[in-house]
Amino acid sequence: MRHGALVGYLSGLFTFFTLVALALGGAIYYGKSLFDGPGPLEREITVVIPRNQGVGEIAETLARAGVLDHPKAFEAGVRLHRAGDGLRFGEYAFPAHVSMREAMEILISGKAIEHAITIPEGLTSQQVVERLREASVLTGDVREIPPEGALLPETYNVMRGMPREQVIARMRQEQKAALDKIWRDRDPSVPVKTPDDLVTLASLVEKETGIAEERGRVAAVFVNRLNKGMRLQSDPTIVYGLVGGRGTLGRSLTRSDIQSRTAYNTYVINGLPAGPIANPGRAALEAAARPPKTGELYFVADGTGGHAFGKTLAEHNRNVQRWRQVERARGAAADRVAPDEATP
């Protein structure tokens, strides 16, 4: 009887564990099927995963967006795969009927949607910050306007939610890397003593022309004038001396503007202005570092969007007269004065 009771007990215990194993296996199979099976999403959708969210919070975010309908199952699956610390914040695209496993892998990949932000060459640092403040995909504010000329204008890919300060830091790093290389490869005959002076010279080039083919010739004019001890007489330096980082004067230059005594006005000071007047792009930096040998000392607008260059004052005056005719034909304001005609 004792033997029969023991057998019965062991048989019952075996049956119990068998049922538990079957139940556990069934639960695992169901969970795996649920985790790997197609989800409820009917069409592709983008979801923003904020910073510093835990697995449970991410699961709830995905559930609210309709990516999955069993957030607890997603959380359990992520933890079983020990992937909780690998989920990245950002904006992600989830295709229709994405499974929980696929959603987890998308978040682990870190391949968030990137948005392109283009910063044009020639903006002042204040104008760059204003552009970044207008970018709705970025967050936070910029506490301090960066030094003029310290940013590299380019197209930057950013993720939604990226802090504006982080974009500024990246622009400064890119500018430093570009400037270091360009400074090493510069023509040593260019009369600039420091990388900062090169940035200042390049900023004048950037503000004087938006035509790629002209940058080298404009830089050459400034270098030739510096070598001869001539004043640079660059209109944008007048404007910067008057308005600083705001960048634009909003009207034509007048005689009193040309004669304004600021540390930037290259009509009244010798050599380079006190500092950069904008953030030059890579091409302007390269043009300033290695300008062609031209012998040209003057340039003036030619009416087509470009400039007419001259080696002598007589040649330049003829170019100025042609520009005056273009201005009169366009009905230029009577008080508009060409700085080239009004050197103090």
Side-chain angles (χ1 to χ4, degrees):
M1 290 178 61
R2 287 197 299 271
H3 177 74
L6 179 61
V7 170
Y9 172 76
L10 291 176
S11 176
L13 194 62
F14 177 76
T15 302
F16 172 76
F17 281 115
T18 299
L19 292 174
V20 168
L22 289 172
L24 184 60
I28 291 174
Y29 177 79
Y30 174 75
K32 187 176 185 303
S33 299
L34 191 64
F35 196 70
D36 292 340
L41 197 59
E42 293 295 331
R43 58 181 177 80
E44 181 175 305
I45 191 174
T46 61
V47 181
V48 177
I49 305 299
R51 288 174 178 268
N52 303 320
Q53 277 201 344
V55 179
E57 294 170 306
I58 292 174
E60 292 296 336
T61 298
L62 294 178
R64 285 194 297 271
V67 175
L68 50 90
D69 47 12
H70 297 285
K72 292 299 183 183
F74 177 82
E75 182 179 356
V78 169
R79 294 192 187 283
L80 284 172
H81 285 85
R82 299 182 180 179
D85 293 336
L87 304 185
R88 313 277 186 86
F89 76 93
E91 182 180 13
Y92 294 89
F94 294 93
H97 303 296
V98 60
S99 69
M100 295 186 199
R101 179 185 294 277
E102 290 168 336
M104 177 187 71
E105 291 171 349
I106 288 171
L107 295 179
I108 291 173
S109 73
K111 295 178 180 178
I113 296 172
E114 294 185 328
H115 300 265
I117 294 181
T118 299
I119 304 298
E121 296 90 343
L123 294 184
T124 67
S125 291
Q126 180 177 328
Q127 290 173 322
V128 171
V129 169
E130 290 170 357
R131 285 287 183 106
L132 295 181
R133 285 171 175 162
E134 293 170 358
S136 59
V137 298
L138 300 177
T139 59
D141 198 9
V142 179
R143 295 186 295 272
E144 184 177 348
I145 303 296
E148 204 69 81
L151 309 175
L152 186 68
E154 279 189 349
T155 295
Y156 293 89
N157 291 324
V158 302
M159 293 188 298
R160 184 179 294 276
M162 182 178 289
R164 292 179 175 86
E165 289 277 6
Q166 186 174 335
V167 179
I168 289 289
R170 182 177 168 192
M171 294 181 70
R172 295 188 71 161
Q173 291 172 354
E174 293 290 336
Q175 193 272 354
K176 185 179 184 306
L179 180 59
D180 287 347
K181 182 179 186 306
I182 293 169
W183 177 255
R184 288 195 303 269
D185 297 339
R186 74 189 186 284
D187 180 348
S189 68
V190 175
V192 290
K193 298 179 180 178
T194 67
D196 290 341
D197 287 345
L198 179 62
V199 175
T200 298
L201 177 59
S203 71
L204 270 62
V205 174
E206 193 71 84
K207 294 298 288 185
E208 285 286 5
T209 182
I211 299 178
E213 294 77 13
E214 285 192 350
R215 288 193 182 101
R217 293 181 73 180
V218 170
V221 167
F222 288 141
V223 167
N224 293 338
R225 292 177 78 94
L226 286 171
N227 285 331
K228 289 181 175 293
M230 300 172 66
R231 288 178 177 172
L232 298 183
Q233 296 185 327
S234 171
D235 294 17
T237 65
I238 301 173
V239 176
Y240 193 88
L242 295 172
V243 302
R246 297 203 309 276
T248 58
L249 188 60
R251 57 174 174 79
S252 298
L253 291 170
T254 64
R255 288 184 177 86
S256 62
D257 294 333
I258 296 165
Q259 297 171 352
S260 59
R261 295 197 169 274
T262 72
Y264 290 88
N265 185 356
T266 53
Y267 278 83
V268 299
I269 64 170
N270 297 321
L272 293 169
I277 61 173
N279 289 282
R282 195 183 303 269
L285 287 166
E286 291 171 346
R290 301 190 69 85
K293 309 296 184 184
T294 65
E296 293 168 339
L297 294 170
Y298 306 93
F299 61 86
V300 67
D302 63 3
T304 67
H307 295 84
F309 294 81
K311 294 183 178 181
T312 66
L313 182 59
E315 184 181 0
H316 177 61
N317 285 337
R318 289 193 295 271
N319 291 334
V320 169
Q321 290 306 313
R322 282 193 287 271
W323 170 236
R324 281 282 158 259
Q325 293 173 4
V326 172
E327 282 198 311
R328 284 193 291 271
R330 293 177 178 176
D335 65 345
R336 175 67 166 83
V337 178
D340 303 280
E341 298 177 348
T343 304

